[in-house]
Amino acid sequence: MKARRGIYAAAVSPFDTAGRLNTAALIGYCQHLLTAGGCDGVAPTGTTGEGTSIAMADRLALPAAFAQAGIAADRVIFGTGAPAAGDCLALTQAACEAGFTNVLVLPPYYYKSPSDAGVFAYYAHLINGIGRDDLRVYLYHFPQMSAVPLSVDLVLRLKAEFGPIIAGLKDSSGDFAQSAAFMDATGGVENDFDVFPSSEAMLWDGLAKGSAGIISGSTNAFGTLAQAALQAAEGDARDAAMARVKAARSAAGKYPLMAAMKQAEAWRSNDDAWTRMAPPLVPLTDAQKTALRADLDAFRA
């Protein structure tokens, strides 16, 4: 089934002392996000989850572990993008076999400035290789990191060719005008194409335009604030809730996001293992930790 709409956390990933994914800890954490964490869904092994730094064997085994834990399939969008089309196919197949047919797929990001025809061929190889009508692909537009932007024309071509299999798009450009362009061109949720901007600060602007919600890294710590804004009645209550959301997002933006979200979880869970990063990323400095602690305490107050 298609992923539900609403507030998603691009879930951070815990690592053991050998640098391998701690699958049990990730599952427990995602269960927290889906309950007390305020999120409608989770997107593991994406950018915030250091997905491209996780060992392939760990990524392949993860969906089956999620299924065994009983996490609902419509509340998870697994990141399965990879530079090699065959690796993307294998990761997506593992997700589908475990019952998770919603996948978030970066374009092939090693070769720079590929043609739209080349990127189309990559997604076509994936969809034809999986060969399932229930596959739902969410395109992943993140040009700052991938250096392979997805053009509106390419998105429309993929949608025209593969219909409901091209279920939506995560726009991590940070530019609301870009998100709006994708929604305008595809028809957004009214045409069953689910665009998810990457910042909760864009939540209600996006919903008014036709978005499906948001998929954000900072909702690892501030999912409850975003959910409160989503549920708030129109008017002063919503304005106040969105002011809190924007302030939290602004605070998160002062730090390396992945390291900050891991530090926040280390404090919440009382487990410093959460601060481990996959190279070349590094944890927060002592000064950054002190400042982050002050910001978090201020929001709790």
Side-chain angles (χ1 to χ4, degrees):
M1 62 185 72
K2 190 172 185 179
R4 67 178 66 184
R5 296 164 179 165
I7 306 299
Y8 277 71
V12 291
S13 299
F15 296 109
D16 64 21
T17 55
R20 298 294 296 269
L21 181 68
N22 185 334
T23 299
L26 177 57
I27 288 170
Y29 177 58
C30 287
Q31 289 169 328
H32 157 72
L33 289 172
L34 293 170
T35 53
C39 295
D40 298 298
V42 291
T45 60
T47 301
T48 305
E50 300 169 88
T52 58
S53 299
I54 296 172
M56 182 62 68
D58 295 340
R59 293 180 74 184
L60 288 169
L62 189 60
F66 266 62
Q68 187 173 8
I71 297 177
D74 69 334
R75 303 188 76 178
V76 183
I77 307 175
F78 276 109
T80 63
D87 287 346
C88 179
L89 181 61
L91 290 164
T92 303
Q93 186 68 48
C96 289
E97 288 176 352
F100 296 94
T101 55
N102 298 294
V103 292
L104 178 64
V105 185
L106 281 165
Y109 50 84
Y110 180 79
Y111 294 104
K112 309 311 176 190
S113 302
S115 66
D116 274 7
V119 178
F120 179 91
Y122 174 87
Y123 285 109
H125 178 273
L126 170 65
I127 293 165
N128 292 329
I130 294 297
R132 293 177 56 144
D133 290 339
D134 61 346
L135 175 66
R136 295 294 179 265
V137 172
Y138 293 80
L139 307 172
Y140 193 178
H141 177 70
F142 198 177
Q144 302 97 304
M145 294 293 286
S146 71
V148 182
L150 299 176
S151 70
V152 169
D153 287 345
L154 173 61
V155 172
L156 291 175
R157 183 185 173 193
L158 286 165
K159 185 66 176 172
E161 180 71 20
F162 298 108
I165 290 176
I166 302 297
L169 178 145
K170 179 177 188 256
D171 178 23
S172 290
S173 68
D175 179 2
F176 185 73
Q178 178 66 76
S179 297
F182 286 126
M183 288 182 266
D184 286 340
T186 61
V189 292
E190 288 190 7
N191 199 34
D192 201 29
F193 188 83
D194 291 357
V195 175
F196 290 90
S198 62
S199 170
E200 57 270 39
M202 302 177 185
L203 177 60
W204 273 104
D205 287 342
L207 291 170
K209 191 71 175 173
S211 75
I214 54 98
I215 301 176
S216 168
S218 50
T219 47
N220 280 278
F222 301 122
T224 54
L225 294 181
Q227 188 65 237
L230 179 63
Q231 301 301 327
E234 186 175 4
D236 290 345
R238 182 181 297 171
D239 291 344
M242 279 304 302
R244 288 191 290 273
V245 165
K246 291 176 180 179
R249 178 71 186 194
S250 178
K254 298 191 300 186
Y255 310 96
L257 182 61
M258 288 167 267
M261 294 299 100
K262 284 190 160 186
Q263 183 62 66
E265 177 55 19
W267 286 327
R268 187 198 72 84
S269 63
N270 197 31
D271 181 3
D272 285 341
W274 272 97
T275 61
R276 296 185 186 119
M277 309 293 295
L281 301 182
V282 296
L284 297 183
T285 65
D286 288 343
Q288 288 171 327
K289 285 192 286 186
T290 298
L292 177 63
R293 172 70 86 174
D295 283 338
L296 292 177
D297 287 347
F299 280 109
R300 292 191 184 98

